[in-house]
Amino acid sequence: EKFCLLPDQDAFFTFLNILCKHGNIEEAEEFMFLNKKFFPLVTEGFNIILNGWCNIAVDIVEAKRVWREMSKCCILPNGMSYTHLISCFAKVRNLFDSLRLCDEMKKRGFQPGIEVYNSLAYVLASEDCLKESLTILNKMKEAGLYPDSTTYNNIIIPLCGDMKLEEARMVLAMMIEDNVSPTIDTYHAFLTGASL
């Protein structure tokens, strides 16, 4: 506006992203609705807001509200929408809803990406389902995706937090065997687990 240029949708989404990344998620959502005359409500805009509540604020109540709001506005969720919500449910250790949403995602024709598998690996390990968490690694490989350091750390960190260091060492050995280098987070988890 200052330079008499008409903002385009990319600039609008960038602005929403910036607001969310700096914790101004409510303001971003309000701005999106205030400008719906110029920029019609679409899945991508809602995904930015959903990402803010799911991955920046990790507020499951607000994330669910935005999900319902999408439905009220006749906006269909896409694969990224599911990815954000599954991530949020996993972070708050809600195993049932994480798995339910993943099944729903597949039924709607969206293939889970590495972020979804990483979230499932975390929530399963957090809820004492190590065997099932390791099964996720095989499912990833079958889907043509390869576990990365985040995948392994998402299993190792909860194990170390629960002082299951032997199991965590086993996962670390698998990580190295798969040519995935441990990160500072990996070592930090072991140090934290050992000091508990």
Side-chain angles (χ1 to χ4, degrees), residues 104-118:
E104 185 180 311
M105 179 184 192
K106 290 177 190 172
K107 284 177 188 165
R108 306 254 337 244
F110 302 113
Q111 287 305 311
I114 194 165
E115 298 91 352
V116 171
Y117 285 112
N118 286 349

Side-chain angles (χ1 to χ4, degrees), residues 44-146:
E44 190 175 348
F46 272 100
N47 281 348
I48 293 168
I49 306 304
L50 201 55
N51 181 52
W53 290 121
C54 291
N55 297 309
I56 296 166
V58 192
D59 187 328
I60 196 69
V61 173
E62 289 297 321
K64 286 174 165 179
R65 181 189 57 74
V66 171
W67 190 266
R68 288 189 303 271
E69 196 67 42
M70 285 176 79
S71 181
K72 280 185 203 168
C73 295
C74 299
I75 304 293
L76 292 174
N78 63 13
M80 189 53 66
S81 312
Y82 279 99
T83 298
H84 292 322
L85 200 56
I86 291 167
S87 170
C88 195
F89 276 121
K91 285 175 182 170
V92 298
R93 295 182 168 204
N94 184 329
L95 177 59
F96 176 79
D97 284 325
S98 298
L99 295 172
R100 179 186 59 78
L101 269 175
C102 186
D103 286 341
E104 185 180 311
M105 179 184 192
K106 290 177 190 172
K107 284 177 188 165
R108 306 254 337 244
F110 302 113
Q111 287 305 311
I114 194 165
E115 298 91 352
V116 171
Y117 285 112
N118 286 349
S119 295
L120 295 179
Y122 174 78
V123 73
L124 285 163
S126 298
E127 293 302 305
D128 206 21
C129 301
L130 178 60
K131 184 180 169 191
E132 291 80 2
S133 190
L134 295 176
T135 301
I136 290 293
L137 301 179
N138 294 327
K139 285 187 178 181
M140 287 176 78
K141 292 172 186 175
E142 287 167 12
L145 302 168
Y146 291 93

Side-chain angles (χ1 to χ4, degrees), residues 3-57:
F3 297 104
C4 299
L5 297 170
L6 287 173
D8 62 7
Q9 197 168 44
D10 287 341
F12 180 69
F13 289 151
T14 299
F15 184 66
L16 292 180
N17 251 317
I18 290 167
L19 284 172
C20 288
K21 284 180 181 174
H22 286 84
N24 301 305
I25 306 159
E26 285 178 43
E27 291 82 354
E29 188 174 344
E30 185 181 337
F31 190 75
M32 181 179 75
F33 280 106
L34 284 174
N35 288 282
K36 66 182 179 183
K37 185 169 68 172
F38 304 108
F39 302 104
L41 298 174
V42 292
T43 306
E44 190 175 348
F46 272 100
N47 281 348
I48 293 168
I49 306 304
L50 201 55
N51 181 52
W53 290 121
C54 291
N55 297 309
I56 296 166

